[in-house]
Amino acid sequence: PVSWARMSTLGTKEKVLLVDGNNVVHAWKDLADLLRGNRNLARLELCKRLTSYQDIADFARVVVVFDGRGSKIQEESIPKGIQVFYSDSKRTADDVIERFVHKYATIYSLIVATDDVMEQDAVIAAGAEAISTNALLQSVNQAESQFRSRWQL
């Protein structure tokens, strides 16, 4: 996995963050606590935080992918926010993320947030960077803190 400091030195391509939503919801303690009570609430809280993060950080786009159950991949776009995808019942979120990486790695500087080592290896081999969910959490917290401090909130 690459460090966040290293990501700032990546070429001039626009940066896109791809997030394994289920992985993050289980890894971040506050979201894991919400997950035990209400899966949808945990997902919504993650999307809310990542929407704010996209507004603060230097990402052209943030895409969150969750495992789904439907007959096809479903997309939700949050107005002025992030993109959210749900895999179909025949694919996992990892499969969808890998498809994105294979399709867009030459166009964008892709960073994938997951703790799944096999997924990290796959996306790195396909041309993306990989970071842990903990590294993402640290970056989100730091960005939120800097924003509050700058605007004295």
Side-chain angles (χ1 to χ4, degrees), residues 34-132:
L34 283 175
L35 183 66
R36 283 189 274 285
N38 185 327
R39 176 177 51 184
N40 288 332
L41 187 59
R43 286 178 173 179
L44 286 172
E45 181 61 25
L46 172 62
C47 291
K48 179 178 137 191
R49 288 193 70 190
L50 291 177
T51 297
S52 296
Y53 181 61
Q54 176 180 262
D55 292 343
I56 298 167
D58 186 28
F59 285 102
R61 177 167 294 152
V62 173
V63 179
V64 182
V65 184
F66 292 104
D67 291 318
R69 294 192 183 107
S71 60
K72 63 180 183 172
I73 296 173
Q74 298 174 348
E75 176 186 5
E76 292 178 9
S77 288
I78 299 169
K80 297 183 181 180
I82 63 175
Q83 287 182 284
V84 180
F85 288 88
Y86 295 88
S87 68
D88 60 33
S89 59
K90 297 176 185 168
R91 293 179 185 85
T92 65
D94 292 349
D95 296 331
V96 174
I97 289 169
E98 288 174 32
R99 286 179 61 193
F100 278 124
V101 171
H102 284 284
K103 185 171 183 176
Y104 295 110
T106 59
I107 301 168
Y108 299 102
S109 177
L110 301 175
I111 299 96
V112 177
T114 183
D115 286 336
D116 182 329
V117 176
M118 288 178 58
E119 181 67 5
Q120 288 177 348
D121 290 345
V123 299
I124 289 169
E129 302 284 344
I131 60 166
S132 69

